[in-house]
Every structure is written in C-alpha cells, then in structure tokens.
Amino acid sequence: MCASPFPGVDRVNGVTYDGQHVWFASGDKLLAFDPETGSVVRSIDVAGHAGTAFDGQHLFQIAEDRIHKIDPKTGRVLATIPAPGGGGDSGLAWAEGTLWVGEYRARKIHQIDAETGAILRTIETSRFVTGVSWIHGELWHATWEGDESDLRRVDPETGEVLESLEMPAGVGVSGLESDGADRFFCGGGSSGKVRAVRLAGRRSPSRSDSKIRVKSNIK
C-alpha cells in the first residue's frame, strides 16, 4: 500500500502504530488512519513537529524541544519531558519502558527515561537520523540526506550498521514505525504520504552487512 496524500495534510513528520491504526504527526495535529484503506479515522489537536511513539497505552509526541505524553482517547497532554536534542530531535520509538530519540543533524540516537527525559545511552550513526523504530528486539532508523534515504538496522550498543534497505531515488523517509510483523510505515515528509514498505526476502538477523531490496510498491 502506498497511501495517497491526505486532505489538508502538506507534511508527514512522526509515525507510529497502535496495533490497529497508523498515527502520524503533521504540524498542529496527530491523525490516525486505517492502514488497509488509508481512511483517516481520528484527529487530535496537538503540536506534532517530529517523532511519534506508542507504548501500548499512550502516545508520545515531539513538539519542538519537548516530548508530550498524550492520552489517545481524549487528546489530553498528561506529562511533558525535555527532548534530548533541544529542538533538533527527529524520530521517536518506545521499547521496554524507555524512549529512543533521533537527533537529526547530530547523527545520534538517544535512549532516555520516559518519565524524566534523562539520557541513559547515546549511539552515533553515519547519516542524518529521521525515524526510529524497534521490531523483534532490533533497532532500526531511517536516514534522509539530499535525495538519498534508507532504512537501517543498527547495533543498539555501538551504532554499527547491520542491514540497509535503500529507498528509490527521490523517496525520503521522515518517520518510521513497524507493524510488529514484516511492514514498516514510513512518513514521506512534504509529499504528504505514508508509505508501507514490506521486508521482502528478509535474511537472518545474525547476518551482518547485508542489503535487501524494498518490495517495489513505492511511488
């Protein structure tokens, strides 16, 4: 599935998945859509400037130099913590009680305490970081520099690149989230699209330095 631009949406920032709907941040709103039909089913009025995450109960959203914890049922902001990049933050993911935050131009990913914002760990990468996601115990992040973008599985201790999925020329990834199976949902920045990328021909996670192709349903 390659979702068409959504009405009134000129940019897709963070992306997450709650097990039923895909949520994405776009300026001053968080929107949820059905990943099978592309139909928008919910909208919350809250600042959404970068990454989005879901912990099984709450949404987390980067808004400038802060991260808001949001009740998806009411849209109410329940708590706020500082973002580690001080406004240069990008992707956001939840894993085992902590948040993982991309710092775009610094080429870093920070693991932080979800209650206080304290930095627990920082790893460095070789390209600008956009989306961040965990799937089956693996840390993935998206990159976007110029006209080049890819999805990378990296070692969460060292930042070493273990797998890389190159996107077609001109297709950038702004936000990233897994459906918990074999699909990634990728924000398309100013295209206003959310694309689904299926991991076709996936190799064993123990194989390093491998490259696998993105199934050719991306426009």
Side-chain angles (χ1 to χ4, degrees), residues 70-149:
I70 301 163
D71 183 341
K73 295 179 181 177
T74 65
R76 185 165 158 254
V77 175
L78 303 176
T80 298
I81 58 174
D89 310 271
S90 50
L92 188 64
W94 170 271
E96 298 180 352
T98 61
L99 290 168
W100 294 72
V101 189
E103 189 176 353
Y104 179 59
R105 292 190 177 276
R107 297 183 172 93
K108 293 179 180 180
I109 299 173
H110 305 283
Q111 181 188 20
I112 68 170
D113 186 303
E115 297 295 326
T116 67
I119 297 176
L120 307 174
R121 180 192 326 186
T122 297
I123 61 174
E124 296 186 359
T125 74
S126 60
R127 298 192 69 188
F128 291 163
V129 178
T130 53
V132 180
S133 183
W134 277 87
I135 174 175
H136 305 310
E138 299 173 352
L139 176 60
W140 289 77
H141 79 85
T143 76
W144 191 352
E145 292 189 38
D147 291 331
E148 297 182 356
S149 190

Side-chain angles (χ1 to χ4, degrees), residues 2-6 9 11-12 15 174 186-195 219:
C2 176
S4 298
F6 299 94
V9 172
R11 183 168 185 86
V12 174
V15 179
S174 55
C186 304
S190 59
S191 72
K193 295 180 178 181
V194 176
R195 299 176 173 92
K219 299 178 182 178

